[in-house]
Short mmCIF file of all heavy atoms in Angstrom, two decimals:
data_model
loop_
_atom_site.label_atom_id
_atom_site.label_comp_id
_atom_site.label_asym_id
_atom_site.label_seq_id
_atom_site.Cartn_x
_atom_site.Cartn_y
_atom_site.Cartn_z
N VAL D 1 -50.77 -5.63 24.50
CA VAL D 1 -50.17 -5.21 23.27
C VAL D 1 -48.65 -5.12 23.31
O VAL D 1 -48.01 -5.63 22.60
CB VAL D 1 -50.79 -3.89 22.76
CG1 VAL D 1 -50.10 -3.34 21.53
CG2 VAL D 1 -52.26 -4.02 22.61
N GLN D 2 -48.22 -4.52 24.47
CA GLN D 2 -46.76 -4.35 24.68
C GLN D 2 -46.12 -5.64 24.77
O GLN D 2 -45.00 -5.90 24.26
CB GLN D 2 -46.49 -3.55 25.94
CG GLN D 2 -45.06 -3.24 26.21
CD GLN D 2 -44.77 -2.38 27.43
OE1 GLN D 2 -45.70 -2.14 28.09
NE2 GLN D 2 -43.55 -1.96 27.57
N SER D 3 -46.73 -6.60 25.47
CA SER D 3 -46.12 -7.99 25.62
C SER D 3 -46.05 -8.62 24.35
O SER D 3 -45.05 -9.34 23.86
CB SER D 3 -47.03 -8.73 26.53
OG SER D 3 -46.59 -10.14 26.68
N ASP D 4 -47.02 -8.47 23.38
CA ASP D 4 -47.06 -9.10 22.01
C ASP D 4 -45.95 -8.49 21.20
O ASP D 4 -45.18 -9.22 20.58
CB ASP D 4 -48.39 -8.86 21.38
CG ASP D 4 -48.48 -9.52 20.07
OD1 ASP D 4 -48.22 -10.71 20.02
OD2 ASP D 4 -48.88 -8.89 19.06
N VAL D 5 -45.69 -7.20 21.30
CA VAL D 5 -44.63 -6.55 20.55
C VAL D 5 -43.26 -7.11 21.12
O VAL D 5 -42.41 -7.43 20.27
CB VAL D 5 -44.71 -4.97 20.69
CG1 VAL D 5 -43.49 -4.45 20.20
CG2 VAL D 5 -46.00 -4.53 20.03
N MET D 6 -43.10 -7.20 22.40
CA MET D 6 -41.87 -7.73 22.92
C MET D 6 -41.64 -9.20 22.51
O MET D 6 -40.51 -9.44 22.20
CB MET D 6 -41.96 -7.59 24.56
CG MET D 6 -41.96 -6.13 25.03
SD MET D 6 -40.42 -5.26 24.38
CE MET D 6 -39.30 -5.99 25.34
N ASP D 7 -42.68 -9.97 22.51
CA ASP D 7 -42.56 -11.31 22.10
C ASP D 7 -42.02 -11.41 20.58
O ASP D 7 -41.17 -12.22 20.25
CB ASP D 7 -43.88 -12.07 22.17
CG ASP D 7 -44.16 -12.39 23.71
OD1 ASP D 7 -43.31 -12.26 24.50
OD2 ASP D 7 -45.33 -12.72 24.01
N ARG D 8 -42.73 -10.59 19.74
CA ARG D 8 -42.30 -10.58 18.29
C ARG D 8 -40.87 -10.11 18.26
O ARG D 8 -40.20 -10.65 17.35
CB ARG D 8 -43.30 -9.71 17.66
CG ARG D 8 -44.65 -10.34 17.44
CD ARG D 8 -45.51 -9.35 16.58
NE ARG D 8 -46.91 -9.92 16.56
CZ ARG D 8 -47.83 -9.48 15.67
NH1 ARG D 8 -47.49 -8.46 14.98
NH2 ARG D 8 -48.97 -9.97 15.78
N LEU D 9 -40.52 -9.12 19.00
CA LEU D 9 -39.22 -8.55 18.87
C LEU D 9 -38.13 -9.64 19.27
O LEU D 9 -37.11 -9.69 18.54
CB LEU D 9 -38.97 -7.28 19.72
CG LEU D 9 -37.71 -6.65 19.78
CD1 LEU D 9 -37.44 -6.05 18.35
CD2 LEU D 9 -37.80 -5.47 20.72
N GLU D 10 -38.45 -10.34 20.34
CA GLU D 10 -37.51 -11.46 20.79
C GLU D 10 -37.49 -12.49 19.71
O GLU D 10 -36.26 -13.06 19.51
CB GLU D 10 -37.88 -11.94 22.16
CG GLU D 10 -37.68 -11.02 23.34
CD GLU D 10 -38.31 -11.61 24.63
OE1 GLU D 10 -38.53 -12.71 24.64
OE2 GLU D 10 -38.25 -10.75 25.63
N GLU D 11 -38.56 -12.85 19.18
CA GLU D 11 -38.61 -13.84 18.18
C GLU D 11 -37.64 -13.48 16.90
O GLU D 11 -37.01 -14.18 16.36
CB GLU D 11 -40.01 -14.18 17.75
CG GLU D 11 -40.05 -15.30 16.67
CD GLU D 11 -41.59 -15.63 16.28
OE1 GLU D 11 -42.44 -15.34 17.01
OE2 GLU D 11 -41.68 -16.01 15.14
N SER D 12 -37.83 -12.23 16.56
CA SER D 12 -37.09 -11.65 15.38
C SER D 12 -35.69 -11.71 15.66
O SER D 12 -34.84 -11.94 14.80
CB SER D 12 -37.68 -10.21 14.99
OG SER D 12 -38.95 -10.27 14.57
N GLN D 13 -35.31 -11.22 16.91
CA GLN D 13 -33.87 -11.14 17.36
C GLN D 13 -33.42 -12.53 17.26
O GLN D 13 -32.25 -12.77 16.77
CB GLN D 13 -33.79 -10.56 18.72
CG GLN D 13 -32.43 -10.45 19.19
CD GLN D 13 -32.33 -9.76 20.48
OE1 GLN D 13 -33.27 -9.45 21.11
NE2 GLN D 13 -30.98 -9.68 21.07
N GLY D 14 -34.08 -13.63 17.69
CA GLY D 14 -33.59 -14.97 17.76
C GLY D 14 -33.23 -15.47 16.34
O GLY D 14 -32.34 -16.02 16.03
N GLN D 15 -34.21 -15.07 15.47
CA GLN D 15 -34.09 -15.48 14.07
C GLN D 15 -32.91 -14.77 13.43
O GLN D 15 -32.18 -15.50 12.55
CB GLN D 15 -35.43 -15.18 13.29
CG GLN D 15 -36.50 -16.05 13.73
CD GLN D 15 -37.86 -15.68 12.99
OE1 GLN D 15 -37.83 -14.57 12.30
NE2 GLN D 15 -38.92 -16.39 13.10
N LEU D 16 -32.62 -13.57 13.67
CA LEU D 16 -31.61 -12.78 13.19
C LEU D 16 -30.33 -13.38 13.66
O LEU D 16 -29.33 -13.61 12.88
CB LEU D 16 -31.71 -11.36 13.57
CG LEU D 16 -30.63 -10.41 13.08
CD1 LEU D 16 -30.53 -10.40 11.45
CD2 LEU D 16 -30.78 -9.05 13.49
N GLU D 17 -30.28 -13.80 14.96
CA GLU D 17 -29.00 -14.25 15.48
C GLU D 17 -28.73 -15.65 14.84
O GLU D 17 -27.57 -15.90 14.50
CB GLU D 17 -29.13 -14.48 16.96
CG GLU D 17 -29.05 -13.13 17.74
CD GLU D 17 -29.38 -13.20 19.29
OE1 GLU D 17 -29.76 -14.33 19.68
OE2 GLU D 17 -29.19 -12.26 20.00
N ALA D 18 -29.73 -16.45 14.69
CA ALA D 18 -29.58 -17.79 14.02
C ALA D 18 -29.07 -17.59 12.59
O ALA D 18 -28.04 -18.30 12.16
CB ALA D 18 -30.89 -18.60 13.98
N GLU D 19 -29.52 -16.61 11.84
CA GLU D 19 -29.14 -16.38 10.54
C GLU D 19 -27.63 -15.93 10.47
O GLU D 19 -26.85 -16.32 9.52
CB GLU D 19 -29.98 -15.34 9.83
CG GLU D 19 -29.75 -15.09 8.29
CD GLU D 19 -30.06 -16.41 7.52
OE1 GLU D 19 -30.88 -17.16 7.79
OE2 GLU D 19 -29.31 -16.57 6.48
N ILE D 20 -27.33 -15.06 11.44
CA ILE D 20 -25.97 -14.52 11.46
C ILE D 20 -25.01 -15.67 11.79
O ILE D 20 -23.95 -15.73 11.10
CB ILE D 20 -25.90 -13.47 12.54
CG1 ILE D 20 -26.55 -12.14 12.04
CG2 ILE D 20 -24.37 -13.15 12.80
CD1 ILE D 20 -26.68 -11.03 13.08
N ARG D 21 -25.44 -16.60 12.69
CA ARG D 21 -24.50 -17.73 12.95
C ARG D 21 -24.30 -18.59 11.71
O ARG D 21 -23.22 -19.08 11.42
CB ARG D 21 -25.14 -18.49 14.06
CG ARG D 21 -24.80 -18.05 15.56
CD ARG D 21 -25.15 -19.14 16.58
NE ARG D 21 -26.68 -19.37 16.66
CZ ARG D 21 -27.51 -18.64 17.32
NH1 ARG D 21 -27.05 -17.66 17.93
NH2 ARG D 21 -28.86 -18.89 17.26
N LYS D 22 -25.40 -18.89 10.98
CA LYS D 22 -25.29 -19.70 9.75
C LYS D 22 -24.40 -19.01 8.79
O LYS D 22 -23.43 -19.67 8.20
CB LYS D 22 -26.69 -19.83 9.08
CG LYS D 22 -27.52 -20.70 9.75
CD LYS D 22 -29.01 -20.66 9.03
CE LYS D 22 -30.02 -21.52 9.76
NZ LYS D 22 -31.28 -21.37 9.14
N LEU D 23 -24.53 -17.69 8.61
CA LEU D 23 -23.61 -16.98 7.70
C LEU D 23 -22.16 -16.99 8.12
O LEU D 23 -21.27 -17.13 7.33
CB LEU D 23 -24.07 -15.53 7.50
CG LEU D 23 -25.40 -15.40 6.76
CD1 LEU D 23 -25.84 -13.96 6.77
CD2 LEU D 23 -25.24 -15.80 5.32
N LEU D 24 -21.88 -16.87 9.45
CA LEU D 24 -20.48 -16.89 9.99
C LEU D 24 -19.91 -18.20 9.75
O LEU D 24 -18.75 -18.40 9.43
CB LEU D 24 -20.46 -16.53 11.45
CG LEU D 24 -20.71 -14.99 11.69
CD1 LEU D 24 -20.75 -14.80 13.28
CD2 LEU D 24 -19.60 -14.25 11.17
N HIS D 25 -20.76 -19.30 9.99
CA HIS D 25 -20.24 -20.65 9.69
C HIS D 25 -19.89 -20.86 8.24
O HIS D 25 -18.85 -21.41 7.83
CB HIS D 25 -21.17 -21.65 10.13
CG HIS D 25 -21.35 -21.96 11.59
ND1 HIS D 25 -20.24 -22.31 12.39
CD2 HIS D 25 -22.40 -21.68 12.48
CE1 HIS D 25 -20.65 -22.34 13.64
NE2 HIS D 25 -21.90 -21.94 13.72
N ALA D 26 -20.77 -20.36 7.33
CA ALA D 26 -20.43 -20.48 5.94
C ALA D 26 -19.18 -19.59 5.47
O ALA D 26 -18.35 -20.18 4.70
CB ALA D 26 -21.64 -19.98 5.06
N VAL D 27 -19.00 -18.48 5.99
CA VAL D 27 -17.89 -17.63 5.73
C VAL D 27 -16.58 -18.38 6.28
O VAL D 27 -15.56 -18.55 5.58
CB VAL D 27 -17.91 -16.26 6.42
CG1 VAL D 27 -16.62 -15.53 6.28
CG2 VAL D 27 -19.02 -15.42 5.71
N THR D 28 -16.68 -18.95 7.49
CA THR D 28 -15.49 -19.72 8.08
C THR D 28 -15.16 -20.94 7.07
O THR D 28 -14.02 -21.05 6.88
CB THR D 28 -15.86 -20.22 9.49
OG1 THR D 28 -16.10 -19.14 10.23
CG2 THR D 28 -14.72 -20.92 9.99
N ARG D 29 -16.20 -21.62 6.75
CA ARG D 29 -15.92 -22.77 5.65
C ARG D 29 -15.25 -22.27 4.45
O ARG D 29 -14.21 -22.97 4.01
CB ARG D 29 -17.09 -23.57 5.44
CG ARG D 29 -17.63 -24.35 6.63
CD ARG D 29 -18.77 -25.49 6.00
NE ARG D 29 -19.83 -24.79 5.30
CZ ARG D 29 -20.92 -24.32 5.89
NH1 ARG D 29 -20.99 -24.31 7.20
NH2 ARG D 29 -21.84 -23.67 5.16
N ILE D 30 -15.65 -21.30 3.85
CA ILE D 30 -15.19 -20.71 2.60
C ILE D 30 -13.71 -20.21 2.89
O ILE D 30 -12.95 -20.57 2.05
CB ILE D 30 -16.08 -19.62 2.08
CG1 ILE D 30 -17.41 -20.17 1.68
CG2 ILE D 30 -15.36 -18.77 0.93
CD1 ILE D 30 -18.49 -19.19 1.39
N ALA D 31 -13.49 -19.43 3.87
CA ALA D 31 -12.24 -19.00 4.17
C ALA D 31 -11.21 -20.21 4.54
O ALA D 31 -10.03 -20.10 4.06
CB ALA D 31 -12.20 -18.02 5.39
N THR D 32 -11.59 -21.22 5.12
CA THR D 32 -10.78 -22.34 5.45
C THR D 32 -10.45 -23.02 4.10
O THR D 32 -9.19 -23.40 3.90
CB THR D 32 -11.47 -23.31 6.38
OG1 THR D 32 -11.87 -22.71 7.65
CG2 THR D 32 -10.62 -24.59 6.75
N ARG D 33 -11.46 -23.24 3.26
CA ARG D 33 -11.09 -23.77 1.97
C ARG D 33 -10.16 -22.96 1.17
O ARG D 33 -9.18 -23.48 0.50
CB ARG D 33 -12.31 -24.08 1.15
CG ARG D 33 -12.97 -25.42 1.29
CD ARG D 33 -14.04 -25.63 0.49
NE ARG D 33 -15.27 -24.95 1.08
CZ ARG D 33 -16.31 -24.53 0.49
NH1 ARG D 33 -16.57 -24.80 -0.75
NH2 ARG D 33 -17.22 -23.91 1.14
N ALA D 34 -10.35 -21.65 1.05
CA ALA D 34 -9.45 -20.76 0.38
C ALA D 34 -8.12 -20.75 0.92
O ALA D 34 -7.10 -20.77 0.13
CB ALA D 34 -10.03 -19.30 0.41
N LEU D 35 -7.89 -20.82 2.17
CA LEU D 35 -6.62 -20.98 2.94
C LEU D 35 -5.84 -22.34 2.43
O LEU D 35 -4.77 -22.35 2.02
CB LEU D 35 -6.66 -20.90 4.27
CG LEU D 35 -5.38 -20.92 5.08
CD1 LEU D 35 -4.40 -19.92 4.60
CD2 LEU D 35 -5.60 -20.84 6.57
N GLU D 36 -6.72 -23.43 2.40
CA GLU D 36 -6.18 -24.72 1.96
C GLU D 36 -5.64 -24.66 0.51
O GLU D 36 -4.55 -25.07 0.22
CB GLU D 36 -7.12 -25.80 2.16
CG GLU D 36 -7.38 -26.19 3.57
CD GLU D 36 -8.70 -27.00 3.82
OE1 GLU D 36 -9.24 -27.51 2.78
OE2 GLU D 36 -8.99 -27.32 4.97
N HIS D 37 -6.49 -23.97 -0.37
CA HIS D 37 -6.10 -23.98 -1.71
C HIS D 37 -4.84 -23.06 -1.85
O HIS D 37 -3.98 -23.33 -2.64
CB HIS D 37 -7.23 -23.37 -2.56
CG HIS D 37 -8.39 -24.20 -2.76
ND1 HIS D 37 -8.31 -25.48 -3.49
CD2 HIS D 37 -9.65 -24.20 -2.33
CE1 HIS D 37 -9.47 -26.04 -3.47
NE2 HIS D 37 -10.28 -25.28 -2.81
N ALA D 38 -4.73 -21.96 -1.15
CA ALA D 38 -3.60 -20.99 -1.26
C ALA D 38 -2.32 -21.80 -0.73
O ALA D 38 -1.26 -21.71 -1.36
CB ALA D 38 -3.83 -19.84 -0.35
N ARG D 39 -2.44 -22.56 0.27
CA ARG D 39 -1.30 -23.36 0.68
C ARG D 39 -0.92 -24.38 -0.27
O ARG D 39 0.35 -24.60 -0.53
CB ARG D 39 -1.57 -24.03 2.16
CG ARG D 39 -1.68 -23.05 3.27
CD ARG D 39 -1.97 -23.71 4.54
NE ARG D 39 -1.84 -22.85 5.63
CZ ARG D 39 -2.45 -22.90 6.71
NH1 ARG D 39 -3.28 -23.95 7.01
NH2 ARG D 39 -2.27 -21.97 7.76
N GLU D 40 -1.90 -25.12 -0.85
CA GLU D 40 -1.53 -25.99 -1.96
C GLU D 40 -0.81 -25.44 -3.16
O GLU D 40 0.12 -25.82 -3.66
CB GLU D 40 -2.69 -26.80 -2.40
CG GLU D 40 -3.36 -27.78 -1.35
CD GLU D 40 -4.63 -28.32 -1.78
OE1 GLU D 40 -5.05 -28.19 -2.97
OE2 GLU D 40 -5.41 -28.84 -0.87
N ALA D 41 -1.36 -24.24 -3.53
CA ALA D 41 -0.78 -23.55 -4.70
C ALA D 41 0.60 -23.03 -4.36
O ALA D 41 1.55 -23.22 -5.21
CB ALA D 41 -1.59 -22.34 -5.05
N ARG D 42 0.80 -22.60 -3.19
CA ARG D 42 2.20 -22.06 -2.74
C ARG D 42 3.12 -23.31 -2.66
O ARG D 42 4.27 -23.22 -3.20
CB ARG D 42 2.12 -21.41 -1.30
CG ARG D 42 3.47 -20.83 -0.94
CD ARG D 42 3.30 -20.14 0.33
NE ARG D 42 3.60 -21.05 1.50
CZ ARG D 42 3.61 -20.78 2.71
NH1 ARG D 42 3.09 -19.56 3.07
NH2 ARG D 42 3.80 -21.72 3.62
N SER D 43 2.68 -24.40 -2.14
CA SER D 43 3.51 -25.59 -2.12
C SER D 43 3.97 -26.19 -3.52
O SER D 43 5.06 -26.43 -3.81
CB SER D 43 2.71 -26.75 -1.32
OG SER D 43 3.56 -27.90 -1.29
N ARG D 44 2.87 -26.10 -4.40
CA ARG D 44 3.19 -26.58 -5.75
C ARG D 44 4.20 -25.60 -6.40
O ARG D 44 5.07 -25.95 -7.17
CB ARG D 44 2.02 -26.62 -6.53
CG ARG D 44 1.11 -27.87 -6.19
CD ARG D 44 -0.02 -28.11 -7.36
NE ARG D 44 -0.87 -26.98 -7.57
CZ ARG D 44 -1.98 -26.59 -6.83
NH1 ARG D 44 -2.44 -27.39 -5.92
NH2 ARG D 44 -2.55 -25.54 -7.14
N GLY D 45 3.91 -24.35 -6.15
CA GLY D 45 4.80 -23.29 -6.75
C GLY D 45 6.27 -23.43 -6.29
O GLY D 45 7.20 -23.39 -7.09
N ALA D 46 6.44 -23.64 -5.05
CA ALA D 46 7.77 -23.68 -4.47
C ALA D 46 8.42 -25.00 -4.94
O ALA D 46 9.64 -25.02 -5.31
CB ALA D 46 7.73 -23.88 -2.95
N ALA D 47 7.71 -26.11 -5.09
CA ALA D 47 8.31 -27.36 -5.65
C ALA D 47 8.68 -27.16 -7.07
O ALA D 47 9.77 -27.57 -7.56
CB ALA D 47 7.27 -28.52 -5.52
N ALA D 48 7.89 -26.44 -7.95
CA ALA D 48 8.19 -26.17 -9.31
C ALA D 48 9.39 -25.27 -9.50
O ALA D 48 10.30 -25.60 -10.23
CB ALA D 48 7.03 -25.49 -9.94
N VAL D 49 9.49 -24.37 -8.56
CA VAL D 49 10.68 -23.44 -8.62
C VAL D 49 11.91 -24.29 -8.26
O VAL D 49 13.04 -24.08 -8.93
CB VAL D 49 10.52 -22.27 -7.72
CG1 VAL D 49 11.77 -21.40 -7.46
CG2 VAL D 49 9.38 -21.33 -8.21
N GLU D 50 11.81 -25.11 -7.25
CA GLU D 50 12.95 -25.92 -6.71
C GLU D 50 13.43 -26.79 -7.93
O GLU D 50 14.57 -26.93 -8.20
CB GLU D 50 12.53 -26.57 -5.53
CG GLU D 50 13.73 -27.28 -4.76
CD GLU D 50 14.68 -26.13 -4.28
OE1 GLU D 50 14.18 -25.21 -3.78
OE2 GLU D 50 15.91 -26.44 -4.26
N GLU D 51 12.46 -27.41 -8.53
CA GLU D 51 12.77 -28.30 -9.83
C GLU D 51 13.60 -27.50 -10.85
O GLU D 51 14.57 -27.99 -11.39
CB GLU D 51 11.65 -28.94 -10.41
CG GLU D 51 10.99 -30.05 -9.49
CD GLU D 51 9.60 -30.39 -10.14
OE1 GLU D 51 9.50 -30.36 -11.35
OE2 GLU D 51 8.88 -31.09 -9.33
N LYS D 52 13.09 -26.29 -11.14
CA LYS D 52 13.73 -25.53 -12.22
C LYS D 52 15.23 -25.14 -11.75
O LYS D 52 16.08 -25.20 -12.59
CB LYS D 52 12.93 -24.23 -12.46
CG LYS D 52 11.64 -24.62 -13.09
CD LYS D 52 11.76 -25.07 -14.53
CE LYS D 52 10.37 -25.19 -15.19
NZ LYS D 52 10.38 -25.84 -16.57
N LEU D 53 15.32 -24.83 -10.45
CA LEU D 53 16.76 -24.36 -10.12
C LEU D 53 17.66 -25.53 -10.14
O LEU D 53 18.83 -25.42 -10.37
CB LEU D 53 16.55 -23.92 -8.55
CG LEU D 53 15.90 -22.44 -8.41
CD1 LEU D 53 15.76 -22.29 -6.94
CD2 LEU D 53 16.77 -21.49 -9.05
N GLU D 54 17.09 -26.79 -9.74
CA GLU D 54 17.93 -27.94 -9.88
C GLU D 54 18.36 -28.22 -11.34
O GLU D 54 19.54 -28.53 -11.60
CB GLU D 54 17.27 -29.17 -9.28
CG GLU D 54 17.08 -29.18 -7.79
CD GLU D 54 16.27 -30.32 -7.28
OE1 GLU D 54 15.98 -31.24 -8.15
OE2 GLU D 54 15.79 -30.33 -6.09
N ARG D 55 17.40 -28.03 -12.26
CA ARG D 55 17.71 -28.17 -13.60
C ARG D 55 18.67 -27.19 -14.00
O ARG D 55 19.70 -27.52 -14.89
CB ARG D 55 16.46 -28.14 -14.46
CG ARG D 55 16.62 -28.32 -16.00
CD ARG D 55 17.06 -29.73 -16.36
NE ARG D 55 17.39 -29.76 -17.75
CZ ARG D 55 18.41 -30.29 -18.22
NH1 ARG D 55 19.25 -30.76 -17.58
NH2 ARG D 55 18.45 -30.31 -19.60
N ILE D 56 18.69 -25.93 -13.75
CA ILE D 56 19.67 -24.87 -13.97
C ILE D 56 20.98 -25.30 -13.41
O ILE D 56 22.01 -25.14 -14.17
CB ILE D 56 19.14 -23.61 -13.51
CG1 ILE D 56 17.92 -23.09 -14.24
CG2 ILE D 56 20.34 -22.59 -13.59
CD1 ILE D 56 17.28 -21.75 -13.70
N ASP D 57 21.05 -25.75 -12.28
CA ASP D 57 22.33 -26.25 -11.81
C ASP D 57 22.97 -27.30 -12.61
O ASP D 57 24.14 -27.40 -12.79
CB ASP D 57 22.14 -26.75 -10.28
CG ASP D 57 21.96 -25.58 -9.33
OD1 ASP D 57 22.19 -24.43 -9.64
OD2 ASP D 57 21.51 -25.90 -8.20
N GLU D 58 22.08 -28.21 -12.99
CA GLU D 58 22.63 -29.27 -13.87
C GLU D 58 23.18 -28.86 -15.12
O GLU D 58 24.30 -29.15 -15.59
CB GLU D 58 21.57 -30.35 -14.28
CG GLU D 58 20.94 -31.19 -13.01
CD GLU D 58 19.79 -31.99 -13.33
OE1 GLU D 58 19.37 -32.12 -14.51
OE2 GLU D 58 19.20 -32.67 -12.43
N VAL D 59 22.36 -28.00 -15.79
CA VAL D 59 22.83 -27.37 -17.02
C VAL D 59 24.26 -26.55 -16.84
O VAL D 59 25.17 -26.79 -17.57
CB VAL D 59 21.84 -26.36 -17.71
CG1 VAL D 59 22.40 -25.65 -18.87
CG2 VAL D 59 20.66 -27.29 -18.13
N GLU D 60 24.28 -25.80 -15.76
CA GLU D 60 25.51 -25.06 -15.37
C GLU D 60 26.64 -26.10 -15.21
O GLU D 60 27.81 -25.85 -15.67
CB GLU D 60 25.27 -24.31 -14.13
CG GLU D 60 26.32 -23.33 -13.86
CD GLU D 60 26.11 -22.42 -12.64
OE1 GLU D 60 25.27 -22.81 -11.78
OE2 GLU D 60 26.80 -21.43 -12.59
N ARG D 61 26.46 -27.23 -14.59
CA ARG D 61 27.63 -28.17 -14.49
C ARG D 61 27.97 -28.75 -15.74
O ARG D 61 29.20 -28.91 -16.01
CB ARG D 61 27.15 -29.32 -13.40
CG ARG D 61 27.18 -28.94 -11.94
CD ARG D 61 26.98 -30.03 -11.11
NE ARG D 61 25.65 -30.70 -11.29
CZ ARG D 61 24.56 -30.49 -10.64
NH1 ARG D 61 24.50 -29.50 -9.67
NH2 ARG D 61 23.36 -31.22 -10.82
N ASP D 62 26.98 -29.02 -16.63
CA ASP D 62 27.31 -29.57 -17.85
C ASP D 62 28.10 -28.51 -18.82
O ASP D 62 29.14 -28.94 -19.37
CB ASP D 62 26.05 -29.84 -18.66
CG ASP D 62 25.34 -31.10 -18.11
OD1 ASP D 62 25.94 -31.87 -17.37
OD2 ASP D 62 24.14 -31.32 -18.37
N ILE D 63 27.79 -27.25 -18.61
CA ILE D 63 28.55 -26.19 -19.32
C ILE D 63 29.88 -26.12 -18.84
O ILE D 63 30.91 -26.14 -19.65
CB ILE D 63 27.84 -24.91 -19.24
CG1 ILE D 63 26.54 -24.93 -20.00
CG2 ILE D 63 28.72 -23.76 -19.66
CD1 ILE D 63 25.66 -23.53 -19.75
N HIS D 64 30.20 -26.10 -17.48
CA HIS D 64 31.49 -26.18 -17.04
C HIS D 64 32.28 -27.39 -17.49
O HIS D 64 33.45 -27.29 -17.76
CB HIS D 64 31.36 -26.02 -15.43
CG HIS D 64 30.98 -24.68 -14.98
ND1 HIS D 64 31.80 -23.61 -15.05
CD2 HIS D 64 29.93 -24.30 -14.26
CE1 HIS D 64 31.16 -22.55 -14.53
NE2 HIS D 64 30.01 -22.98 -14.02
N LEU D 65 31.68 -28.58 -17.49
CA LEU D 65 32.42 -29.77 -18.05
C LEU D 65 32.72 -29.63 -19.46
O LEU D 65 33.77 -29.92 -19.87
CB LEU D 65 31.45 -30.92 -17.89
CG LEU D 65 31.25 -31.49 -16.38
CD1 LEU D 65 30.29 -32.57 -16.29
CD2 LEU D 65 32.63 -31.99 -15.86
N LEU D 66 31.87 -29.00 -20.21
CA LEU D 66 32.20 -28.89 -21.62
C LEU D 66 33.33 -27.76 -21.85
O LEU D 66 34.12 -27.99 -22.76
CB LEU D 66 30.90 -28.40 -22.47
CG LEU D 66 29.83 -29.42 -22.63
CD1 LEU D 66 28.51 -28.83 -23.14
CD2 LEU D 66 30.21 -30.65 -23.48
N LEU D 67 33.29 -26.83 -20.96
CA LEU D 67 34.30 -25.73 -21.15
C LEU D 67 35.69 -26.14 -20.42
O LEU D 67 36.56 -25.39 -20.70
CB LEU D 67 33.78 -24.41 -20.52
CG LEU D 67 32.63 -23.83 -21.29
CD1 LEU D 67 32.21 -22.68 -20.54
CD2 LEU D 67 33.02 -23.38 -22.67
N GLY D 68 35.51 -27.19 -19.66
CA GLY D 68 36.75 -27.65 -19.04
C GLY D 68 37.21 -26.81 -17.91
O GLY D 68 38.33 -26.84 -17.40
N SER D 69 36.14 -26.19 -17.21
CA SER D 69 36.56 -25.38 -15.93
C SER D 69 35.90 -25.83 -14.82
O SER D 69 35.16 -26.65 -14.72
CB SER D 69 36.16 -23.99 -16.24
OG SER D 69 35.02 -23.70 -16.97
#
């Protein structure tokens, strides 16, 4: 009886460990994708801000030309 209980316990432990490994792999994939999306968003955001700053500089130069300064 004790041997049977120990066998079942080991089997349950193995199944639990396998399920935990699967979940950890899934969490790792999700976190990796989220990080990639965050990096892309940050990159797009930085590029958009840079474009706006360049446009502001152009307008500022045009204003100085119009004012003659």
